[in-house]
Amino acid sequence: MTALDDRPVFRFAPSPNGHLHLGHAFSALLNHDLAAEVGGRLLLRIEDIDTVRCTPQLERDMLEDLAWLGVDWEQPVRRQSDHFDDYQAALQDLVDAGVAYPSALSRGDVKRIVEVEEAQGIEWPRDPDGAPLFPGRAYEDRAEDTDMLAWRLDVAVAKAHLGVETVTWTEEGAGPDGETGQLVLDPAVWGDFVLARRDTPTSYHLSVVIDDALQGVTHVVRGRDLFHATAVHILLQMLFGAPHPIYVHHDLILEPGSTRKLSKSRNDTSLRAMRAGGAMPSDIRRMVGL
Ligand code: GLU
């Protein structure tokens, strides 16, 4: 690539913690087709920060499935577990800026705090997935054990630091309620999210933002289940002074006859199983509506 290369950059970023299924095939093929349509580049990123669930064998199987499907990507492939230093340095920048804090509150602590508050009739705020929001820095003294468990972003401090209340992005796909176009959202809906854990020196949110920036990604095409996470990704991009890609959140492929999205634990819809059953790449394309 030269400095004059201004082609759009797409990426497909699967986690090798199970076999790819029809949902991944849809996402990979859509990235591939959209990149081809606009003369863009397609990168592949292995999101394997969970070094227990992600294995080299699953990574090899994944690359083989993608190649079989007819998706081609540029070399080199970026494997996140090779770059923990990058995420550590980024985390340090946030710590130095005073927007990150070490947290000792465990899941059990949070549960207890929320129960106590709700017993007093206080309606505790929930995130878009319905989970109670992390209580925040003010509750740190309620931790049963004072060992640091995670670094969290102090979202209120980060917003004040940037002088913003909301974040905006360009959505060329759609959110769960049909949100599209120029969007304005409050990143506080997730509370003080995790940047890194004691046992994993990064988090999905931190590494995805660092990598999209380092890899010059201009178009993020991914499943609608990550739509709401985008608000915190934009906030992190602002803190790092990184550009904002265009986002395309696409439909999720659902389990047959259900409203649940496919999961990696269901083997019958894995690409491997379908291939073993005689399916061709063209069948997969047809099944995902491409
Ligand atoms: N690694 C994520 C997944 O497999 C995708 C992350 C992204 O595209 O931002 O669901």
Side-chain angles (χ1 to χ4, degrees):
M1 187 185 116
T2 68
L4 295 174
D5 190 340
D6 58 1
R7 287 175 294 164
V9 179
F10 292 72
R11 90 311 194 263
F12 177 55
S15 296
N17 54 11
H19 283 127
L20 298 183
H21 56 56
L22 275 180
H24 300 106
F26 179 48
S27 204
L29 289 167
L30 197 58
N31 267 288
H32 171 269
D33 291 2
L34 290 175
E37 227 170 76
V38 296
R41 302 163 52 206
L42 177 60
L43 309 179
L44 179 68
R45 186 163 75 225
I46 312 284
E47 301 213 324
D48 62 344
I49 60 171
D50 180 345
T51 52
V52 176
R53 289 174 63 222
C54 298
T55 67
Q57 183 60 49
L58 285 169
E59 180 184 318
R60 280 193 291 276
D61 290 353
M62 200 172 80
L63 297 180
E64 194 186 285
D65 288 347
L66 288 171
W68 170 77
L69 204 54
V71 175
D72 44 18
W73 55 88
E74 280 186 16
Q75 296 296 336
V77 169
R78 183 171 169 95
R79 185 185 296 110
Q80 291 188 324
S81 61
D82 293 338
H83 298 280
F84 284 130
D85 288 355
D86 287 343
Y87 314 129
Q88 202 64 50
L91 172 65
Q92 192 57 49
D93 286 346
L94 298 177
V95 173
D96 292 345
V99 295
Y101 64 95
S103 170
L105 289 175
S106 65
R107 246 182 226 144
D109 292 328
V110 173
K111 196 162 168 262
R112 227 175 5 258
I113 291 169
V114 174
E115 274 167 10
V116 168
E117 301 282 338
E118 288 194 327
Q120 292 168 357
I122 291 163
E123 201 185 321
W124 196 266
R126 314 240 150 201
D127 72 21
D129 290 340
L133 285 196
F134 186 78
R137 222 169 188 167
Y139 287 79
E140 282 298 331
D141 59 351
R142 310 242 193 130
E144 202 154 69
D145 188 335
T146 53
D147 281 357
M148 195 272 260
L149 294 177
W151 284 95
R152 290 181 177 270
L153 190 80
D154 191 324
V155 175
V157 169
K159 291 201 308 187
H161 178 83
L162 294 165
V164 299
E165 267 310 314
T166 53
V167 298
T168 70
W169 79 84
T170 304
E171 176 63 55
E172 291 191 352
D177 293 319
E179 303 93 328
T180 192
Q182 233 17 65
L183 302 183
V184 180
L185 277 98
D186 184 352
V189 292
W190 289 103
D192 289 352
F193 57 90
V194 170
L195 294 164
R197 294 184 191 279
R198 189 171 55 187
D199 50 358
T200 309
T202 184
S203 63
Y204 161 63
H205 296 311
L206 181 63
S207 30
V208 86
V209 166
I210 295 305
D211 286 352
D212 284 341
L214 284 175
Q215 297 189 287
V217 170
T218 59
H219 290 70
V220 172
V221 179
R222 62 186 179 191
R224 186 155 301 135
D225 50 339
L226 292 168
F227 173 81
H228 285 290
T230 310
V232 304
H233 297 172
I234 303 289
L235 183 69
L236 286 174
Q237 287 157 11
M238 292 171 80
L239 289 167
F240 291 123
H244 306 310
I246 289 168
Y247 288 84
V248 182
H249 289 97
H250 60 68
D251 289 345
L252 298 174
I253 306 283
L254 303 177
E255 280 191 21
S258 152
T259 53
R260 290 223 320 262
K261 69 169 183 144
L262 286 179
S263 95
K264 281 189 180 126
S265 53
R266 264 187 68 127
N267 283 329
D268 54 337
T269 49
S270 80
L271 295 184
R272 310 228 113 199
M274 287 190 282
R275 185 170 146 200
M280 299 299 289
S282 53
D283 298 320
I284 306 291
R285 270 194 174 270
R286 192 176 31 77
M287 288 168 84
V288 298
L290 286 173

